[in-house]
Amino acid sequence: MAEKVIIIGSGPAGWTAAIYAARANLHPVVIEGAISEENRLAGTLPLGQLNLTTEVENFPGFPKGILGPELMMNMREQAEGCGTRIITEDVSDVDLSVRPFKVTDTAGTTHEAYSLIIATGASANYIGLDSESRFKNRGVSACAVCDGALPRFRKRPLVVVGGGDSACEEGTYLTKFASEVHLVYRKSRAEMRASPVMVDRITANPKVRPEWHSVVEEVLGDDERGMTGVRLKDVRTGETRTVEAAGMFVAIGHTPNTKFLKGQVETDPQGFIKLTEPFRTMTSVDGVFAAGDVADPIYKQAITAAGMGCKAALDAERWLAHHHKLPAGEPHGSQWNVG
Ligand code: NAP
């Protein structure tokens, strides 16, 4: 029998969608992702990007902060407690050309669903150095807003890598905490991809030391202290130099996790799922909704993802009711009180 709604993904968007869908009697199924070495290396284990961070200080409701993994386990437990069924596999394939939709997981089971909520998030891009992996969460981060205010970074020199708006925004943000910020970009100031106003702002900041034409060749540190610096290479001359730094924030873009859709849902040129109506969660496929970072090229915050998850569940509930896709007599919730 087809499910009313399958939610793919298990970050804040997925669990919030599940909580709302469960309370609407939609008996949601969450396919949360597989626990595998491949997913660990790719940063796509279940529970999303928050599960990869340490202290979370900007999620409302936790005045003393909460550990990212704890927050995510709480969300999972809450969704399960509401009646969500959880499948710990990846989705390998979907067929959105048929009704109900077909979703095949990596165990080989094909599930059917009248509606889908895609909440698979985005994975931060990293440079790809072994030394970078070694110091993840011990100096290396891909999220200044999540981690920048941590004690280990305060009044210490930091490195930001990238030449886009994210690098400028994160670098400028980090000057609030750091003694200085080394902005490492592989090309010149004139070639930066960021908007001119962002370039002007960061380069005018007295705490910022631009490192033009430079790449990080190695992250330096030890087990006791974590990261202590980086070795930079000038891409024109090949010369190397060491920069002392307590942290390195990689801001070289995110990749939305949409590969499994194989082009069946429309995306923007960066790969983010396109939402077809302002402030809503509908996608190019009727009955398929998207929430969180997979459909958000701008905010990319846990709290905005959770809010979108809520909206997606309400949109799916209303869609199921209005399109009479539920078998006759099936109860469904009535959380909607909007026209
Ligand atoms: P982006 O615009 O794609 O820029 C990525 C930067 O990382 C580029 O400068 C690129 O260098 C560099 N890079 C990529 N791979 C690298 C590697 N392996 N090693 C070293 N450097 C590497 O990404 P983004 O800055 O995350 O921005 C994404 C989108 O979000 C953009 O549309 C941006 O406008 C938007 N955004 C807007 C705001 C805002 O308006 N407040 C804030 C953040 C993001 P090259 O330049 O050499 O290619």
Side-chain angles (χ1 to χ4, degrees):
M1 201 181 87
E3 308 291 345
K4 296 182 185 105
V5 58
I6 288 180
I7 298 159
I8 307 174
S10 57
W15 296 124
T16 307
I19 291 163
Y20 273 78
R23 288 170 57 81
N25 288 339
L26 297 179
H27 310 293
V29 173
V30 169
I31 304 184
E32 66 172 346
I35 299 168
S36 66
E37 180 62 6
E38 195 184 334
N39 282 352
R40 191 187 69 76
L41 291 173
T44 54
L45 281 171
L47 304 179
Q49 294 181 64
L50 273 196
N51 204 41
L52 305 173
T53 65
T54 49
E55 200 74 29
V56 178
E57 293 176 343
N58 57 5
F59 201 91
F62 302 94
K64 296 192 172 75
I66 183 167
L67 291 173
E70 188 184 349
L71 177 59
M72 294 318 302
M73 281 309 289
N74 286 349
M75 289 190 197
R76 186 183 192 275
E77 192 182 326
Q78 189 174 353
E80 198 170 27
C82 292
T84 301
R85 193 153 67 83
I86 301 171
I87 296 172
T88 310
E89 293 291 344
D90 286 330
V91 168
S92 53
D93 203 17
V94 293
D95 185 351
L96 307 182
S97 67
V98 294
R99 306 288 166 136
F101 302 124
K102 285 190 195 308
V103 178
T104 303
D105 66 31
T106 38
T109 307
T110 296
H111 313 267
E112 291 187 333
Y114 297 109
S115 68
L116 287 183
I117 296 175
I118 300 166
T120 42
S123 308
N125 298 336
Y126 284 90
I127 301 166
L129 303 167
D130 287 344
S131 55
E132 176 189 46
S133 309
R134 182 179 166 205
F135 294 112
K136 267 186 199 166
N137 284 340
R138 304 189 62 230
V140 173
S141 168
C143 181
V145 179
C146 322
D147 298 334
L150 292 176
R152 69 165 288 127
F153 300 128
R154 287 183 186 250
K155 298 193 170 73
R156 306 285 305 281
L158 301 176
V159 164
V160 173
V161 185
D165 282 327
S166 294
C168 291
E169 195 168 73
E170 303 215 345
T172 303
Y173 175 78
L174 288 168
T175 58
K176 289 204 279 187
F177 312 104
S179 57
E180 58 182 8
V181 172
H182 296 267
L183 176 67
V184 177
Y185 182 45
R186 59 189 177 185
K187 296 177 188 161
S188 67
R189 182 190 196 281
E191 291 165 292
M192 282 183 84
R193 209 185 283 195
S195 47
V197 64
M198 305 278 270
V199 176
D200 288 348
R201 189 176 302 146
I202 193 162
T203 52
N205 192 310
K207 278 190 171 179
V208 173
R209 314 257 171 279
E211 309 282 359
W212 305 127
H213 301 288
S214 298
V215 292
V216 174
E217 195 178 60
E218 191 164 8
V219 182
L220 308 170
D222 55 49
D223 288 344
E224 195 188 323
R225 293 173 295 168
M227 176 184 162
T228 57
V230 289
R231 189 167 66 243
L232 299 182
K233 186 171 93 173
D234 186 310
V235 292
R236 296 164 305 177
T237 62
E239 279 173 21
T240 59
R241 62 195 185 281
T242 299
V243 168
E244 188 202 328
M248 176 173 91
F249 290 81
V250 186
I252 59 172
H254 276 75
T255 304
N257 300 319
T258 54
K259 216 187 255 177
F260 69 98
L261 293 169
K262 295 174 186 143
Q264 294 176 79
V265 176
E266 206 180 322
T267 58
D268 72 11
Q270 295 170 276
F272 292 93
I273 292 178
K274 267 192 188 173
L275 301 177
T276 52
E277 286 185 41
F279 309 113
R280 305 296 295 277
T281 62
M282 293 77 157
T283 71
S284 59
V285 180
D286 200 29
V288 176
F289 304 85
D293 287 11
V294 75
D296 176 7
I298 298 171
Y299 301 105
K300 306 171 188 169
Q301 299 298 302
I303 192 67
T304 51
M308 286 176 81
C310 163
K311 291 203 285 183
L314 295 175
D315 283 337
E317 181 197 354
R318 190 157 87 155
W319 184 88
L320 286 163
H322 282 225
H323 290 75
H324 306 289
K325 300 288 184 202
L326 297 178
E330 282 280 330
H332 61 81
S334 55
Q335 296 181 56
W336 269 98
N337 54 11
V338 186

